[in-house]
Amino acid sequence: MCGRFTLYIPYKELIARFGVGRTFQEGEYLPSYNIAPTQKMVAVINNGRENRMGKLRWGLISRWSKEMKIGSRITNARAETLEEKPIFRQAFERRRCIIPADSFYEWQREGEIRRPMRIRLKDEPVFGMAGLWDTWVSPAGEKVHTCTAITTKPNRLMERIHDRMPVILNPAHEAEWLAPDNRDTGSLSRMLVPYDADKMEAYEVSPEVNSPKNNGPELIVPFC
């Protein structure tokens, strides 16, 4: 699964990396070392003309959901069942997004011990995770924009840590993934594969990351 991640790359580098044409103001960008479900995260979508960057609440609430609290349970979507589950099917066809991150956390279980691990790419400061988004309107008329991260089976590195991992998109596929007129779910599904393990690395970090209340650069320091 994907339950926590980081995004602290400088704002201008983030804009350049994802070719964003329209976004929020630089002062609204808050680097984070411990992004958790139900929090707002940065996401990139395409409106048919340009890439736009905004903030989405982590936890998908489909437009036909009856209540908001369901979102806290739908933080991940399995790549293998996107076309089978009604809550994901339409978003997979029409409302895809990229979730920028510079690393993610996963907990490696050893008996009763759970060790937090930070996973990142060796040679790239930031990457794009595949996601789905939707807009829910509350009974009071409030619009809530939400998203979920797509997961897949683990690669050779991740299988020692957990049985799932977020889909990290090949940069060459990002434009095709975002294209709103692309309804070819077969070709889209072929993008949802484990990232090359040789291009990734993992190390243990402080158990302070266990609480989303903790959010500082000390969380990404190797734990000895």
Side-chain angles (χ1 to χ4, degrees):
M1 63 177 293
C2 178
R4 303 282 180 79
F5 67 96
T6 71
L7 183 64
Y8 56 85
I9 187 174
Y11 175 83
K12 291 182 180 178
E13 293 181 28
L14 181 62
I15 296 297
R17 165 61 178 79
F18 291 98
V20 172
R22 182 176 174 184
T23 184
F24 47 77
Q25 297 297 315
E26 184 171 0
E28 299 177 64
Y29 174 62
L30 299 176
S32 180
Y33 297 86
N34 199 4
I35 301 169
T38 74
Q39 295 179 358
K40 286 192 173 182
M41 62 166 72
V42 172
V44 179
I45 67 171
N46 185 282
N47 62 4
R49 299 181 301 276
E50 62 181 357
N51 284 355
R52 299 176 60 181
M53 192 170 76
K55 295 182 180 180
L56 303 176
R57 185 180 187 271
W58 190 2
L60 190 73
I61 310 173
S62 70
R63 55 194 56 203
W64 43 262
S65 295
K66 295 182 179 180
E67 52 188 1
M68 185 172 180
K69 65 181 181 181
I70 191 174
S72 63
R73 303 195 300 270
I74 309 178
T75 56
N76 287 175
R78 296 175 68 94
E80 299 89 337
T81 58
L82 292 180
E83 295 185 86
E84 300 172 13
K85 297 190 175 182
I87 194 170
F88 302 132
R89 187 183 302 125
Q90 192 178 85
F92 182 38
E93 291 179 356
R94 305 182 183 187
R95 292 182 293 278
R96 298 176 299 275
C97 65
I98 288 176
I99 303 167
D102 28 44
S103 66
F104 64 94
Y105 300 108
E106 194 52 81
W107 280 257
Q108 184 177 44
R109 186 177 293 278
E110 295 181 355
E112 297 299 315
I113 300 174
R114 295 176 72 242
R115 300 165 53 219
M117 307 291 290
R118 181 188 182 217
I119 302 98
R120 64 181 181 182
L121 302 191
K122 292 178 180 178
D123 300 319
E124 298 293 336
V126 69
F127 52 85
M129 298 188 293
L132 307 176
W133 70 275
D134 210 337
T135 298
W136 179 74
V137 181
S138 74
E142 176 192 7
K143 289 185 177 180
V144 182
H145 307 290
T146 65
C147 70
T148 187
I150 299 174
T151 66
T152 186
K153 62 184 180 181
N155 60 22
R156 189 177 67 258
L157 172 73
M158 284 300 302
E159 66 185 4
R160 302 195 300 267
I161 301 172
H162 199 271
D163 61 357
R164 302 293 292 176
M165 67 177 291
V167 171
I168 299 174
L169 291 168
N170 183 325
H173 296 158
E174 290 176 352
E176 185 180 355
W177 174 258
L178 289 178
D181 59 348
N182 182 3
R183 307 284 176 84
D184 184 352
T185 56
S187 66
L188 291 166
S189 293
R190 288 191 286 274
M191 302 178 192
L192 306 179
V193 295
Y195 202 75
D196 186 348
D198 292 333
K199 296 180 179 180
M200 301 175 69
E201 61 183 3
Y203 60 85
E204 186 175 0
V205 293
S206 168
E208 292 295 311
V209 78
N210 294 347
S211 172
K213 294 180 181 179
N214 300 323
N215 193 334
E218 68 278 1
L219 298 181
I220 64 173
V221 176
F223 184 68
C224 299

